[in-house]
């Protein structure tokens, strides 16, 4: 099992090739469904779970923290905290907004309580906070690492300029630095490649892309005149334009060649891109998860990769 693990550069974290997205837990998956997905993921050797304090406050009736609570209850009931690499985030939940020292200090304790653990392996700034100087944010994160509450820190949704600024601050002030970036990146969203990928390559950070399946679009289930029963149908369905159809056709062709599923091919394309360590994708059911886990066995050749890249240009 350890043979297929990946070490995140700049850390001692060794993770499964698929990072399991946790925003569905308490949103489109109820507690039993979430436990089933988490169990199946762990049984297949999965050990890397991504969540945020804010998941999923937008669902009517929720207030936020639901995903962390489900994951924490699952870890406690399975007694497997030490087998898992846990990532969560601070800064985009309306209850605890921004990256001020005060907010980070309060948010981390709440996340630890909900996750029922004494440390977070990878703690993200969920989005940039233009109102807080990076010196303050990084000093706050540095304190958490020194206190043992957090092992490593990372950024999400930062521009290249602002990420470079934060890295420079860490260096200048001798503070902990971001080891990874979690950007919006997949076969139909490739802005990441322009400025962020070169920066990450130069500075040795790893990329952990979110919406790896473009909210489900890259599974191929969105077709003209075929309604999809999903809370995310509107967002995912919006990719069905000419380019989207080209990408789906190429995913089908490559999938057929490998006896694989389009979703698995989409994840394998992403995993093969420079700087990417592990894609982050979610599953609402164990059936869906099967296609995601197949990533660990699928290796695309240069021709497959070039065709997919060209189709999504
Ligand atoms: N940093 C950030 O700002 C940020 C933002 C968004 C997400 N994230 C993280 O990234 C993770 C991944 O993003 P995401 O979960 O929103 O989107 P995603 O991984 O692109 O899409 C996952 C969705 O696609 C559908 N799906 C998955 N496998 C399938 C299969 N085999 N067949 C058919 N449908 C399938 C499911 O939705 P349906 O069944 O409902 O169609 C599933 O919830 C999140 O869980 C979260 O941890 C981070």
């Amino acid at each position: 099992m350890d043979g297929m693990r990946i070490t995140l550069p700049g850390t001692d974290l060794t993770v499964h090739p698929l990072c399991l997205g946790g925003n569905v837990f308490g949103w489109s998956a109820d507690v039993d469904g979430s436990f089933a997905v988490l169990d199946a993921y762990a049984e297949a050797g999965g050990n890397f779970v991504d969540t945020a304090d804010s998941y999923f406050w937008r669902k009517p009736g929720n207030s936020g923290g639901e995903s962390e609570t489900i994951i924490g209850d699952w870890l406690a009931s399975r007694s497997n905290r030490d087998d898992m690499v846990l990532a969560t985030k601070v800064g985009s939940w309306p209850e605890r907004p921004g990256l001020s020292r005060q907010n980070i200090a309060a948010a981390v304790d709440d996340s630890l309580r909900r996750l029922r653990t004494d440390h977070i392996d990878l703690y993200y700034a969920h989005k940039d906070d233009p109102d807080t100087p990076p010196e303050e944010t990084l000093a706050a994160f540095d304190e958490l690492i020194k206190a043992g509450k957090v092992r490593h820190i990372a950024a999400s949704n930062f521009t290249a300029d602002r990420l470079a600024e934060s890295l420079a601050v860490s260096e200048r002030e001798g503070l902990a630095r971001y080891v990874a970036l979690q950007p919006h990146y997949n076969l139909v969203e490739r802005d990441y490649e322009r400025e962020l990928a070169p920066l990450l390559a130069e500075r040795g950070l790893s990329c952990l892309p979110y919406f790896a399946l473009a909210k489900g679009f890259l599974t191929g289930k969105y077709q003209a005149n075929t309604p999809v029963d999903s809370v995310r149908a509107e967002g995912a369905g919006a990719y069905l334009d000419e380019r989207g159809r080209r990408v789906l056709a190429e995913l089908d062709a490559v999938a057929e060649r490998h006896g694989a599923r389009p979703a698995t091919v989409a994840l394998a394309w992403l995993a093969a891109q420079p700087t990417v360590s592990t894609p982050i994708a979610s599953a609402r059911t164990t059936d869906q998860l099967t296609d995601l886990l197949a990533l660990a066995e699928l290796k695309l050749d240069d021709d497959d990769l070039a065709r997919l890249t060209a189709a999504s240009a």
Side-chain angles (χ1 to χ4, degrees):
M1 184 200 308
D2 281 350
M4 65 180 177
R5 295 237 162 132
I6 292 161
T7 300
L8 299 182
T11 78
D12 53 358
L13 304 175
T14 55
V15 297
H16 186 270
L18 173 78
C19 178
L20 184 66
N23 65 357
V24 287
F25 304 144
W27 178 30
S28 54
D30 62 14
V31 174
D32 288 348
S34 303
F35 271 43
V37 167
L38 285 160
D39 279 338
Y41 176 68
E43 267 159 37
N47 74 333
F48 191 17
V49 179
D50 182 84
T51 185
D53 61 354
S54 53
Y55 299 162
F56 202 85
W57 71 274
R58 285 179 194 277
K59 179 182 176 174
N62 279 9
S63 52
E66 290 82 7
S67 171
E68 287 184 337
T69 298
I70 288 174
I71 293 166
D73 290 349
W74 177 78
L75 292 168
S77 71
R78 304 308 188 247
S79 302
N80 62 356
R81 168 66 186 96
D82 292 345
D83 302 333
M84 293 288 143
V85 174
L86 268 188
T88 191
K89 316 185 191 80
V90 55
S92 78
W93 184 19
E95 293 284 318
R96 291 226 178 272
L99 301 174
S100 67
R101 180 176 184 274
Q102 196 188 10
N103 192 55
I104 289 174
V108 76
D109 286 341
D110 285 351
S111 285
L112 289 170
R113 182 177 43 75
R114 285 187 293 263
L115 288 164
R116 300 174 68 171
T117 182
D118 60 359
H119 71 281
I120 291 160
D121 297 295
L122 191 59
Y123 199 36
Y124 286 96
H126 203 155
K127 62 180 185 191
D128 195 6
D129 174 2
D131 299 325
T132 302
E135 287 81 356
E136 177 180 333
T137 299
L138 290 159
F141 280 141
D142 194 73
E143 275 177 42
L144 299 187
I145 291 177
K146 293 206 169 96
K149 295 182 180 184
V150 164
R151 304 273 304 282
H152 301 280
I153 56 168
S156 184
N157 301 307
F158 274 47
T159 63
D161 282 353
R162 291 284 288 175
L163 180 58
E165 189 184 339
S166 288
L167 294 173
V169 167
S170 293
E171 204 164 312
R172 195 176 64 228
E173 312 270 327
L175 297 170
R177 76 163 208 157
Y178 296 131
V179 296
L181 176 74
Q182 185 177 136
H184 188 180
Y185 181 33
N186 59 49
L187 258 173
V188 287
E189 295 281 356
R190 294 178 48 197
D191 283 356
Y192 166 78
E193 294 171 8
R194 281 190 289 125
E195 293 181 1
L196 286 163
L199 175 67
L200 266 65
E202 188 197 311
R203 306 302 300 271
L205 273 73
S206 60
C207 170
L208 303 163
Y210 72 78
F211 283 154
L213 295 172
K215 306 175 188 171
F217 176 74
L218 296 170
T219 65
K221 71 181 174 182
Y222 290 87
Q223 304 288 344
N225 308 317
T226 313
V228 173
D229 181 19
S230 165
V231 287
R232 43 226 310 187
E234 200 181 324
Y239 289 113
L240 196 62
D241 54 13
E242 201 187 314
R243 173 179 177 241
R245 284 192 190 86
R246 261 197 332 263
V247 170
L248 292 186
E250 204 54 60
L251 280 174
D252 276 342
V254 175
E256 204 179 312
R257 229 178 356 262
H258 288 272
R261 305 268 295 163
T264 319
V265 174
L267 295 177
W269 176 85
L270 203 45
Q273 299 312 305
T275 70
V276 172
S277 288
T278 70
I280 311 171
S282 74
R284 204 171 34 78
T285 65
T286 52
D287 274 357
Q288 290 184 346
L289 182 69
T290 305
D291 293 349
L292 277 52
L293 287 168
L295 167 67
E297 269 89 53
L298 180 62
K299 186 101 181 68
L300 300 180
D301 62 31
D302 289 348
D303 183 54
D304 299 326
L305 294 170
R307 283 165 183 259
L308 290 161
T309 302
S312 74

